[in-house]
């Protein structure tokens, strides 16, 4: 559960070290001025349309802008714009009579080429059925192929480009793209992992229609190579230098997630602003910089950034992680907002995280190029205390007198909040006189109270749920009184977290519109903050289906299912059900509804709460999806799955020691739809085990044991940044601005990452120098790297069901995964010995030691007595051989 300031939370171009070929072979875009052709479909009531625009880096036209003309088909208007040297523009539209479409206050940021805008959706094709497209067949033996391209007069896609994923015959990849008004394009191809074919630095020139590219030969107006026989794959095209796309200051808004079963991954969790500082120019301390003590340490709260993450992706990969969970990226607004959970503009990325060449899109693309997924932390439950731009922003009382002039910015007409200012402007928030329509009682009169500084406090000076400063249809109007009651889902958590009325359609549309944009950027999943504070029925009827529909439209149903959503259903107790309240228990959120409720979302939430609470803990759905049937894997039944997985709060709370977490985790698994998808961690940016307020301090041996369990038991292992070296163990996790961040569990980690590191594979360091090399040499790091390599080598450890039937020992279990030609069966014991009875006969090979055992009587006994050590005996079968010993011995795995 959030408390005040409880969470805290541009891409170095992958071409930086590549010869700049475009200086010798200029892209088509460089041969002509940047032009923009805009098609706009206005509301049916508009009879005229003006476009009001500003080229990137330039000035806006004089309102109301310039007239658009009928666009060649019914309902559309058109305007061609010469952008000069600008790489894009921001657009708004109006009917010339005071009615505007400015994309809910966000404008429409676009690049060059053709843009079509209808109903708030931005496309890149000429409307009305125009078919100016290029279908490109590329001959390849790569497992995945991407097309990186630019239309004549337009901008390059963001590397590595778009996946060539349309149906084609063996040996060929196909992608059809819209050229808009262009007559040709430039193309390069790559495998998404750094191997490129750019025609020896010349790029490929492709026209409209069907084109084949094979062995460096371009054939235009070609027949499809897949209409007759299927050619065999050609040898891999040799990789040449990658082309450098034109620089653009308009952030790209499209990308593609990697896909694949999320259980194959392990997750590294970072507070972006506290991880690594790649660009000091975007560092900001805020108005609490001195008071917090951060100034004395030279440690601004916003210090780490996306550039820092891109710089250190190889560190994360070298640890063995293949997924990165980052704190919220949306534009925040509060006095102490580095963590990301005080969202202000949900449609914009916070500029304190971005740099030139290291935008959020750049981070996503760069991570994907290295095979790393990006899981974005998202907040549906609340905004900042100042509301949410584009939805509602309250006007508070303020006065620039001798006491408060330090806090309230002098008003500047037309000026907006800019977090990159050293003292972020807030003149847009306050008024010394009651605004029109004010509903806050006694506006501006003294309350009789004093601030911490001894200053006079006024009514309506600070937003709160009970001061009638927010409209009830968009924000809730109460404080939580019972954390296991219905009000925990419909009231404010804290004074600086304005609680959305998520049962309101306008609020739902606002949030969904924002998060669909990040899906379109190609993120791989969402970690859902404070999920328990929204009724399950609202998730099940509104948010989850809408997200899934958008994903399905983008990727198709099969790949859409790979998008990993895991919710924080915070239950800080040690029992199976949260103080007997099913509505507030983590496993409850993994299930669909089992009855119909009122069509009205507010009524439905109350009906669901009462119905499920009356059912009680003894009448909740159960599942065998996590469990083997004897030694047999069975196809899981996900027909009742809600679409939301969960953070394993039961194990988290009981990780005082690994065996306790293991016992409690097993006890809850039958009430989770599929516990093999649980996110499992020891501690986080909120709490340590047993709701401890400090980072886990059980010692290195205990950490090694915890990791050995997490990396081999069911669920997806997750590590909070720095835990690989026991960073800030025993330090208070969060104290808000009352103490320096350096003394907390959210301290800056960058000093441990100085230097260079290159990962040759997951869990393998190719080279490292400087301080980061010392970090990577630590015993716990070596333990973690090897665990990641072992887990990646044994499918049963990733996706398998488990059983303790016929198993004697402490933390001992068997796991199996059988699907798609894979049959992986493993016997695991952590820290102590175990005997496995009734198992299949055959040859078993330990992935830790390489020891080989032949079982002929259905029994295998393992001797082990070392905390943190591990045995993983894998059954070697025809077509599914055991991997043998994985990696080399470490201090704990030997």
């Amino acid at each position: 559960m959030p408390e005040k300031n409880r969470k805290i939370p541009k891409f170095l171009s992958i071409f930086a070290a590549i010869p700049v070929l475009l200086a010798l072979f200029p892209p088509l875009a460089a041969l002509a001025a940047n032009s923009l052709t805009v098609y706009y479909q206005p509301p049916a009531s508009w009879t005229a349309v003006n476009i009001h625009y500003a080229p990137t880096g330039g000035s806006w036209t004089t309102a109301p802008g310039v007239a658009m003309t009928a666009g060649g088909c019914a309902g559309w208007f058109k305007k061609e714009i010469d952008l000069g040297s600008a790489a894009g523009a921001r657009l708004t539209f109006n009917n010339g009579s005071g009615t505007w479409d400015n994309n809910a206050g966000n404008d429409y940021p676009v690049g060059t080429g053709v843009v079509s805008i209808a109903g708030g959706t931005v496309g890149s094709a000429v409307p009305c059925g125009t078919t100016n497209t290029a279908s490109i067949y590329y001959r390849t033996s790569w497992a995945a192929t991407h097309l990186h391209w630019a239309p004549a007069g337009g901008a390059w896609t963001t590397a590595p480009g778009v996946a060539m994923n349309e149906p084609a015959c063996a040996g060929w990849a196909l992608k059809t793209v819209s050229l808009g008004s262009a007559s040709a394009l430039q193309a390069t191809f790559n495998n998404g992992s750094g191997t490129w074919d750019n025609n020896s630095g010349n790029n490929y020139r492709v026209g409209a229609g069907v084109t084949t590219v094979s062995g460096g030969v371009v054939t235009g107006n070609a027949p499809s190579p897949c209409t007759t026989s299927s050619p065999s794959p050609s040898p891999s095209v040799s990789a040449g230098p990658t082309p450098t796309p034109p620089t653009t200051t308009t952030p790209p808004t499209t990308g593609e997630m990697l896909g694949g079963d999320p259980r194959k991954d392990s997750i590294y969790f970072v507070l972006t602003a506290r991880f690594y500082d790649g660009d000091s120019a975007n560092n900001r301390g805020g108005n609490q910089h001195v008071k917090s003590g951060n100034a004395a340490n030279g440690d601004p709260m916003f210090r780490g950034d996306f550039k820092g993450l891109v710089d250190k992706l190889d560190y994360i990969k070298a640890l063995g992680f293949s997924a990165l969970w980052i704190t919220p990226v949306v534009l925040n607004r509060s006095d102490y907002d580095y963590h990301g959970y005080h969202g202000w503009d949900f449609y914009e990325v916070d500029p304190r995280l971005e740099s030139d060449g290291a935008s959020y899109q750049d981070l996503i693309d760069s991570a994907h190029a290295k095979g790393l997924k990006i899981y974005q932390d998202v907040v549906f439950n609340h905004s900042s205390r100042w509301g949410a731009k584009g939805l509602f922003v309250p006007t508070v009382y303020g006065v620039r007198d001798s006491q408060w002039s330090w806090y309230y910015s002098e008003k500047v007409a037309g000026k907006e909040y800019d977090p990159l200012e050293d003292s972020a402007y807030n003149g847009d928030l306050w008024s010394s006189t009651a605004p029109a329509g004010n509903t806050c009682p006694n506006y501006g009169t003294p309350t009789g109270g004093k601030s911490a500084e001894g200053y006079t406090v006024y009514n309506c000076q600070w937003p709160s749920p009970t001061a009638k400063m927010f409209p009830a249809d968009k924000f809730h109007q109460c404080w939580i009184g019972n954390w296991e009651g219905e009000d925990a889902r419909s009231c404010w958590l804290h004074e600086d977290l304005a609680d959305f009325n998520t049962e309101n359609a306008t609020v739902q549309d606002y949030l969904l519109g924002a998060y669909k944009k990040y899906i379109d950027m190609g993120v791989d999943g969402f970690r859902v903050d404070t999920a328990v504070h929204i009724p399950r029925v609202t998730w099940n009827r509104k948010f989850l289906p809408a997200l899934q529909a958008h994903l399905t439209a983008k990727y198709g149903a099969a790949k859409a299912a790979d998008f990993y959503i895991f919710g924080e259903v915070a239950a800080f107790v040690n029992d199976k059900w949260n103080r007997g309240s099913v509505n507030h228990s983590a496993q409850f959120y993994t299930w669909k509804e089992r009855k119909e409720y009122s069509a009205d979302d507010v009524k439905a939430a109350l009906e669901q709460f009462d119905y499920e609470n009356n059912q009680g803990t003894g009448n909740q759905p159960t599942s065998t999806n996590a469990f083997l049937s004897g030694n047999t894997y069975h196809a899981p039944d996900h027909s009742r799955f809600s679409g939301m997985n969960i953070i394993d709060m039961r194990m988290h709370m009981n990780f005082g020691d690994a065996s306790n977490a293991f016992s409690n985790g097993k006890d809850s698994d039958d009430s989770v739809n599929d516990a093999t998808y649980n996110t499992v961690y020891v501690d986080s940016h909120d709490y340590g085990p047993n709701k401890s307020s400090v980072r886990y301090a059980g010692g290195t041996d205990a950490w090694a044991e915890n990791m050995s369990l997490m990396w081999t038991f069911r669920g997806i292992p997750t590590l909070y940044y720095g835990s690989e070296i026991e960073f800030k163990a025993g330090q208070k996790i969060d104290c808000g601005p009352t103490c320096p961040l350096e003394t907390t569990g959210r301290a800056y980690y960058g000093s441990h990452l100085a230097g260079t590191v290159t990962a040759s594979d997951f869990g393998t360091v190719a080279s490292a120098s400087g301080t980061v090399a010392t970090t990577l040499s630590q015993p716990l790091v070596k333990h973690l790297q090897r665990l990641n390599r072992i887990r990646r080598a044994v499918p049963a450890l990733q996706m398998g069901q488990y059983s303790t039937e016929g198993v004697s020992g402490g933390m001992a279990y068997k796991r199996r995964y059988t699907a798609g030609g894979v049959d992986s069966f493993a016997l695991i014991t952590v820290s102590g010995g175990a005997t496995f009875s009734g198992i299949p006969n055959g040859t078993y090979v330990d992935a830790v030691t390489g020891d080989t055992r032949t079982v002929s009587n259905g029994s295998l006994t393992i001797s082990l007595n070392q905390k943190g050590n591990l045995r993983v005996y894998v059954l070697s079968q025809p077509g599914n051989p055991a991997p043998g010993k994985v990696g080399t011995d470490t201090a704990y795995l030997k």
Side-chain angles (χ1 to χ4, degrees):
M1 303 174 189
E3 300 174 8
K4 184 177 181 181
N5 299 314
R6 68 174 183 105
K7 307 178 180 177
I8 316 288
K10 277 175 171 201
F11 162 67
L12 282 180
S13 171
I14 64 172
F15 310 108
I18 305 299
V20 184
L21 300 171
L22 296 187
L24 299 175
F25 304 100
L28 296 177
L31 302 179
N34 287 335
S35 63
L36 175 64
T37 302
V38 181
Y39 290 87
Y40 178 72
Q41 186 178 60
S45 60
W46 290 18
T47 57
V49 179
N50 294 306
I51 181 171
H52 183 44
Y53 68 91
T56 301
S59 302
W60 285 87
T61 55
T62 302
V66 295
M68 302 185 74
T69 58
C73 56
W76 288 88
F77 287 72
K78 176 183 177 182
K79 183 65 180 178
E80 294 183 357
I81 301 171
D82 184 352
L83 296 178
S85 60
R90 300 185 75 86
L91 315 176
T92 65
F93 306 89
N94 63 85
N95 67 351
S97 301
T99 301
W100 287 77
D101 171 11
N102 62 2
N103 193 23
N106 299 294
D107 307 330
Y108 292 97
V110 300
T112 56
V114 173
V115 171
S116 60
I117 299 174
T121 300
V122 179
S124 60
V126 177
C128 310
T130 301
T131 57
N132 189 25
T133 61
S135 295
I136 304 169
Y137 285 87
Y138 179 71
R139 197 166 190 179
T140 176
S141 61
W142 292 333
T145 306
H146 290 76
L147 169 67
H148 183 45
W149 69 286
W156 284 86
T157 54
T158 301
V162 294
M164 300 186 72
N165 53 9
E166 296 173 30
C169 48
W172 292 89
L174 170 65
K175 188 66 179 179
T176 301
V177 297
S178 172
L179 295 176
S181 60
S183 60
L185 61 86
Q186 284 193 101
T188 65
F189 306 88
N190 66 88
N191 69 350
S193 301
T195 301
W196 287 76
D197 171 18
N198 62 9
N199 194 22
S200 300
N202 296 293
N203 306 333
Y204 293 99
R205 267 59 174 181
V206 176
V210 176
T211 299
T212 61
V213 179
S214 178
V217 177
V218 178
T219 304
N221 298 316
S224 166
C226 297
T227 55
T228 55
S229 61
S230 298
S232 58
S234 64
S236 296
V237 180
S238 60
T242 55
T244 304
T247 301
T248 172
T249 57
T250 301
T253 56
T254 58
E256 184 169 340
M257 70 173 182
L258 290 179
D261 194 316
R263 296 174 297 178
K264 293 182 177 181
D265 302 301
S266 58
I267 303 172
Y268 193 67
F269 170 37
V270 303
L271 275 69
T272 305
R274 308 302 303 156
F275 186 64
Y276 189 73
D277 187 7
D279 179 9
S280 62
N282 58 15
N283 293 357
R284 292 297 182 273
N287 64 14
Q288 304 294 310
H289 191 44
V290 174
K291 177 182 177 181
S292 65
N294 291 337
N297 290 322
D299 184 27
M301 61 172 181
F302 263 96
R303 190 171 179 182
D305 45 39
F306 293 150
K307 189 173 189 298
L309 276 176
V310 171
D311 286 352
K312 299 304 176 184
L313 287 174
D314 268 74
Y315 171 77
I316 296 167
K317 186 170 183 176
L319 293 176
F321 293 97
S322 52
L324 176 61
W325 160 16
I326 59 173
T327 39
V329 305
V330 304
L331 176 57
N332 267 229
R333 189 169 192 177
S334 81
D335 296 339
Y336 211 53
D337 58 3
Y338 61 99
H339 43 61
Y341 297 91
H342 293 155
W344 153 254
D345 188 343
F346 287 68
Y347 285 76
E348 292 293 331
V349 174
D350 200 304
R352 292 168 290 187
L353 298 175
E354 295 194 301
S355 311
D356 289 340
S359 67
Y360 186 34
Q361 186 71 66
D362 292 329
L363 170 62
I364 295 168
D365 295 340
S366 184
H368 286 177
K370 293 182 180 295
L372 292 165
K373 295 179 180 179
I374 295 290
Y375 293 151
Q376 178 180 328
D377 211 320
V378 296
V379 184
F380 283 77
N381 176 66
H382 58 263
S383 69
S384 71
R385 68 161 18 122
W386 310 114
K389 181 182 178 182
L391 184 67
F392 180 80
V393 177
T395 300
V396 301
Y397 175 78
V399 59
R400 285 181 53 79
D401 59 12
S402 59
Q403 294 184 340
W404 288 106
S405 58
W406 67 277
Y407 187 83
Y408 293 108
S409 305
E410 187 172 355
K411 287 183 174 294
V412 178
K415 187 173 182 179
E416 293 186 346
Y417 169 66
D418 182 359
L420 289 177
E421 291 187 353
D422 290 332
S423 297
Y425 178 75
N426 66 4
D428 56 331
L429 292 177
W430 64 271
S431 173
S432 57
T433 58
N438 171 62
T439 56
C440 182
N442 304 311
Y443 191 92
T445 62
T447 65
K450 299 291 183 179
S451 71
E453 299 84 359
Y455 301 154
T456 299
V457 176
Y458 300 90
N459 284 298
C460 312
Q461 187 174 9
W462 305 103
S464 77
T466 56
K468 300 182 179 179
M469 302 178 75
F470 290 86
D473 63 330
K474 295 183 177 65
F475 289 83
H476 288 135
Q477 306 285 299
C478 53
W479 296 104
I480 293 178
N482 177 6
W483 290 93
E484 280 75 46
E486 197 285 322
D487 55 339
R489 310 183 311 163
S490 57
C491 296
W492 285 38
L493 297 166
H494 199 273
E495 63 180 15
D496 59 0
L497 304 173
D499 199 81
F500 286 128
N501 181 355
T502 50
E503 286 64 67
N504 176 273
T506 301
V507 174
Q508 293 167 358
D509 290 345
Y510 175 83
L511 293 168
L512 286 167
Y515 290 127
K516 287 176 182 177
K517 288 179 178 287
Y518 300 107
I519 288 175
D520 289 342
M521 293 177 75
V523 297
D524 301 277
F526 287 156
R527 181 268 186 181
V528 182
D529 180 72
T530 51
V532 69
H533 298 293
I534 295 175
R536 186 184 76 179
V537 69
T538 304
W539 285 114
N540 284 349
R541 297 204 317 190
K542 299 297 180 179
F543 292 133
L544 293 172
L547 294 175
Q548 194 62 34
H550 192 73
L551 287 160
T552 300
K554 181 176 176 66
Y555 296 117
K559 187 171 182 178
D562 293 337
F563 191 87
Y564 183 52
I565 298 177
F566 56 112
E568 179 203 26
V569 183
F572 298 118
V573 295
N574 293 325
D575 51 8
K576 183 171 182 175
W577 296 97
N578 185 358
R579 296 186 177 92
S581 174
V582 295
N583 280 279
H584 298 88
S585 300
Q587 59 268 43
F588 182 76
Y589 279 74
T590 66
W591 297 95
K592 288 182 177 180
E593 301 310 322
R594 46 183 172 168
K595 72 182 297 293
E596 292 293 327
Y597 300 105
S598 169
D600 179 89
D601 288 340
V602 175
K603 292 180 180 178
L606 295 172
E607 290 171 0
Q608 182 220 45
F609 183 87
D610 290 339
Y611 175 79
E612 292 293 356
N613 255 17
N614 288 335
Q615 293 296 310
T617 61
N619 191 25
Q620 294 299 314
T622 60
S623 169
T624 62
N625 284 338
F627 307 116
L628 293 173
S629 178
N631 296 315
T632 304
Y633 177 89
H634 61 91
D637 177 8
H638 294 147
S639 61
R640 295 180 292 167
F641 176 50
S642 66
M644 182 182 290
N645 299 289
I646 53 171
I647 293 170
D648 198 320
M649 299 303 295
R650 186 90 187 277
M651 290 191 72
H652 166 50
M653 281 293 98
N654 287 280
F655 251 120
D657 64 79
S659 61
N660 194 38
F662 174 60
S663 297
N664 280 272
K666 290 188 299 178
D667 183 51
S668 289
D669 286 352
D670 65 343
S671 60
V672 181
N673 182 268
D674 191 342
T676 66
Y677 286 87
N678 285 7
T679 301
V680 182
Y681 58 62
V682 173
D683 63 354
S684 72
H685 57 325
D686 287 332
Y687 293 105
N690 297 308
K691 207 178 181 181
S692 167
S693 62
V694 302
R695 288 194 71 159
Y696 183 75
T700 309
D701 288 357
W703 256 123
E705 185 175 59
N706 290 341
M707 290 179 181
S708 290
L709 175 65
M710 288 194 294
W711 262 256
T712 57
F713 188 44
R714 59 93 186 119
I716 301 171
T718 301
L719 197 72
Y720 185 38
Y721 81 102
S723 292
E724 62 270 27
I725 60 169
E726 298 174 82
F727 180 61
K728 297 297 180 180
Q731 295 295 308
K732 188 176 180 66
I733 291 173
D734 173 36
C735 59
T738 65
C739 72
L741 281 167
E742 174 56 31
T743 65
T744 74
R746 298 173 176 180
Y748 176 66
Y749 191 57
S751 60
H752 296 277
L753 301 176
T756 62
V757 57
T758 301
S760 56
D761 202 349
F762 294 99
T764 305
V765 179
S767 63
S769 63
T771 305
V772 70
T774 302
T775 300
L776 288 166
S777 70
Q778 300 305 303
L780 200 56
V781 171
K782 297 296 185 183
H783 182 66
L784 174 65
Q785 289 173 314
R786 194 169 183 211
L787 284 172
N788 267 314
R789 293 178 65 187
I790 291 171
R791 189 174 187 273
R792 292 178 67 86
V794 183
L797 301 183
Q798 304 165 19
M799 301 168 287
Q801 295 163 344
Y802 78 94
S803 174
T804 57
E805 179 186 345
V807 180
S808 67
M811 289 180 286
Y813 37 94
K814 52 190 176 183
R815 298 192 66 188
R816 191 169 205 156
Y817 176 74
T818 308
V822 174
D823 186 7
S824 177
F825 183 70
L827 310 175
I828 304 103
T829 185
V830 178
S831 294
T835 296
F836 296 83
S837 302
I839 60 173
N841 291 331
T843 300
Y844 290 79
V845 185
D846 180 23
V848 177
T849 65
D851 179 50
T852 300
R853 303 281 192 91
T854 299
V855 173
S856 59
N857 62 353
S859 179
L860 190 152
T861 297
I862 301 170
S863 297
L864 181 65
N865 185 19
Q866 183 192 359
K867 192 168 186 176
N869 205 348
L870 174 72
R871 295 292 180 261
V872 181
Y873 278 86
V874 181
L875 177 62
S876 195
Q877 305 177 78
N880 290 278
K885 182 176 180 177
V886 179
T888 58
D889 289 354
T890 67
Y892 289 100
L893 295 177
K894 55 188 179 181

